[in-house]
Amino acid sequence: MPITPATATHHSSSGTADAILLELVDEDGVTIGTAEKLSAHQPPGRLHRAFSVFLFDERGRLLLQQRALGKYHSPGVWSNTCCGHPYPGEAPFAAAARRTFEELGVSPSLLAEAGTVRYNHPDPASGLVEQEYNHLFVGLVQAPPRPDPEEVAETALVSPAELMERHGRDTFSAWFMTVLDAARPAVRELTGPSAGW
């Protein structure tokens, strides 16, 4: 496995793990600095770079993940295939591919850019704020997921009708519908009209 900022062990001189830094951006997505991950999510939130991935199988079903119960932010909620934050200086595309493999144990057989969306979503459970400039990606997955239990509690492949049923029954991330709606044109182009997205 290649050494990445996520797999390497980083310790400061005091022996503690280094803080994870996010890229702060302006309203146009231009990098203006960095901030520690948790502090960037404290109310009112600081606008930072993020990504969201939507992977589909050969039948046009969306791969969802339920976030692990041990996560400090939005634990146990359902969300899109993968989402996260590039490291400072890391291309969003590279971060999206990296985190999809780290969280779900799969590499997309196709991954394409699907635009950006900017939003501000407070998380009612934790009180943290998602103030994000989010890069969207859509793609195909052909291998079964092998989730990291520290990151993902469960996965599911759903049709649009099954998603709506789940969305009415289960708790989803605060940002899920915003990123899905923003990615829909690219999702429809990828999956074709018969998939129903």
Side-chain angles (χ1 to χ4, degrees), residues 47-174:
L47 185 59
H48 59 274
R49 194 176 309 285
F51 64 83
S52 290
V53 177
F54 296 86
L55 295 184
F56 296 83
D57 71 0
E58 70 283 349
R59 293 170 47 191
R61 296 179 300 173
L62 172 61
L63 177 60
L64 297 176
Q65 70 155 277
Q66 183 183 30
R67 292 165 62 86
L69 294 174
K71 292 181 86 72
Y72 76 88
H73 186 1
S74 302
V77 303
W78 286 89
S79 200
N80 49 295
T81 309
C82 181
C83 53
H85 309 93
Y87 291 107
E90 183 182 27
F93 183 93
R98 172 180 59 79
R99 283 304 290 164
T100 300
F101 183 78
E102 290 171 355
E103 291 188 10
L104 294 158
V106 293
S107 294
S109 57
L110 171 76
L111 192 64
E113 294 183 11
T116 59
V117 63
R118 190 258 195 256
Y119 54 77
N120 178 354
H121 284 300
D123 174 39
S126 68
L128 299 174
V129 178
E130 288 291 2
Q131 184 92 246
E132 294 187 331
Y133 187 93
N134 197 304
H135 296 257
L136 307 171
F137 299 93
V138 299
L140 299 174
V141 63
Q142 294 177 310
R146 299 182 321 273
D148 175 352
E150 296 288 315
E151 299 286 347
V152 179
E154 194 177 338
T155 62
L157 284 161
V158 296
S159 67
E162 290 165 337
L163 174 60
M164 288 300 97
E165 180 185 328
R166 270 184 182 269
H167 198 264
R169 180 185 72 223
D170 299 330
T171 304
F172 275 71
S173 63

Side-chain angles (χ1 to χ4, degrees), residues 21-37:
L21 296 178
L22 306 185
E23 267 188 10
L24 300 179
V25 299
D26 65 16
E27 293 293 337
D28 297 316
V30 176
T31 302
I32 58 171
T34 60
E36 189 276 323
K37 183 178 179 180

